[in-house]
């Protein structure tokens, strides 16, 4: 009996000690787990804080591949290619790539060594379209804002102004260069022009001189000077625009590529160093424009004695009609962009076209076979003779030049 009681006491002691040891182990494990979690939490917070500190507000940090990236995302990728805002600058310094593109282009056009050319001015610009605001008549330009540059180049004697996009891949001259190829003019073409000029001026061929020759592609077989009654082959004709001087006259001729065809360009010819004094137009000849019209030109005279009206509308339509039409002449029309319309309107303002309001530039005494042209805007009406165009005031010449480019597609 006593032995049984003793065994029971021993068994209870063992169970009690086992329970104490189990509870102690559980408490120890719980404390270790808590400490481990606190430690890891502290480490995680510290690590996250360090990463945020490294990246900063500009997000400049090195990723797994060791690339340093910033807010503008300019970096070299694994192949060494420049990524991100290529060639963009935030200051007014012209990128070398743009400068080189401009100098090389101008050197090719003028045959002036790059070493003799110098960029004198450059400024950041925002152009209105893909043509850099210099669209040609009938040219389609992407209607998107283009960031770029305006660059002035000089050789010490002359200045050229370029417009470019931001990296120099697209560039245009504000005033295109007309190449002078006198030395490349074929001998038979030169002799033909000199002979015709000498006969017109009633002098010997030795008293006239070719001062300029330009390669041209004429719009038809009449070299672009056909009259309404002429039948001109509708084919592009390569040839030359040749300027001759002699006896205080500057004569301009259009020719074919190798001679044969030749035409005197009266509108481009002029008396050297001579200007025309305008007279006041009769009030009845001064007329305004109806609403929706930007500009109108009325030409009359010549061999046929016909009168044509060419009108530019606000929406870009250009329409040419024959006044008092008794035949089968159909109105001719085509469309230019709204931007081209705005550019022409700006030119009228820049050249102060309204200063010529009511002025008429008369014909020379003894002149024949001329065309009288009246130009009308919303603010001015003026009149001149085609053979005297190069003797008109320079601002008026600029307006006429721009208008002829617009109206040429209707002829």
């Amino acid at each position: 009996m006593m032995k049984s009681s003793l065994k029971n006491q021993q068994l209870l002691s063992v169970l009690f000690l086992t329970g104490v040891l189990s509870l102690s182990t559980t408490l120890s494990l719980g404390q270790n787990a808590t400490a481990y979690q606190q430690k890891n939490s502290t480490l995680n917070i510290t690590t996250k804080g360090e990463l945020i500190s490294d990246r900063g507000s500009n997000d400049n940090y090195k990723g797994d591949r060791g690339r340093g990236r910033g807010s503008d995302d300019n970096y070299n990728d694994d192949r060494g290619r420049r990524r991100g805002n290529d060639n963009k600058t935030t200051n007014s310094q012209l990128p070398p790539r743009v400068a080189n593109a401009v100098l090389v282009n101008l050197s090719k056009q003028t045959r002036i060594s790059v070493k003799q050319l110098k960029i004198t001015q450059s400024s950041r610009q925002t152009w209105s379209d893909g043509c850099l605001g210099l669209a040609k008549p009938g040219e389609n330009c992407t209607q998107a804002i283009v960031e770029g540059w305006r660059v002035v180049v000089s050789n010490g004697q002359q200045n050229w102004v370029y417009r470019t996009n931001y990296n120099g891949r697209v560039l245009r001259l504000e005033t295109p260069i007309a190449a002078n190829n006198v030395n490349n003019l074929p001998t038979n073409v030169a002799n033909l022009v000199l002979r015709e000029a000498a006969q017109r001026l009633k002098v010997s061929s030795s008293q006239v001189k070719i001062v300029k020759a330009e390669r041209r592609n004429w719009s038809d077989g009449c070299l672009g000077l056909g009259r309404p009654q002429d039948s001109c082959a509708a084919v592009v004709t390569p040839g030359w625009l040749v300027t001759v001087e002699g006896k205080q006259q500057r004569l301009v001729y259009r020719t074919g590529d190798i001679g044969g065809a030749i035409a005197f360009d009266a509108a481009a010819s002029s008396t050297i160093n001579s200007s025309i004094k305008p007279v006041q137009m009769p009030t009845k000849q001064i007329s305004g424009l109806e609403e929706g019209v930007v500009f109108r030109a009325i030409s009359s005279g010549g061999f046929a004695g016909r009168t044509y009206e060419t009108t530019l509308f606000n929406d870009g339509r250009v329409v040419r009609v024959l006044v008092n039409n008794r035949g089968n002449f159909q109105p001719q029309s085509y469309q230019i962009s709204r931007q081209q319309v705005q550019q022409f309107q700006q030119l009228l303002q820049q050249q102060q076209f309204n200063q010529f309001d009511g002025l008429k530039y008369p014909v020379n005494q003894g002149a024949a076979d001329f065309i009288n042209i009246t130009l009308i805007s919303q603010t001015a009406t003026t009149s001149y003779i085609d053979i005297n165009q190069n003797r008109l005031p320079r601002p008026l010449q600029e307006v006429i030049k721009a208008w002829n480019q617009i109206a040429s597609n209707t002829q």
Side-chain angles (χ1 to χ4, degrees), residues 6 43-44 210 297 305 325 343 388:
L6 180 61
L43 287 172
N44 285 341
I210 295 175
N325 184 15
Q343 289 174 346
N388 291 335

Side-chain angles (χ1 to χ4, degrees), residues 246-259:
K247 201 177 178 180
Q248 292 300 305
Q249 300 286 321
R250 181 178 289 114
L251 308 181
V252 179
Y253 287 90
R254 300 184 183 189
T255 78
D257 191 34
I258 55 176

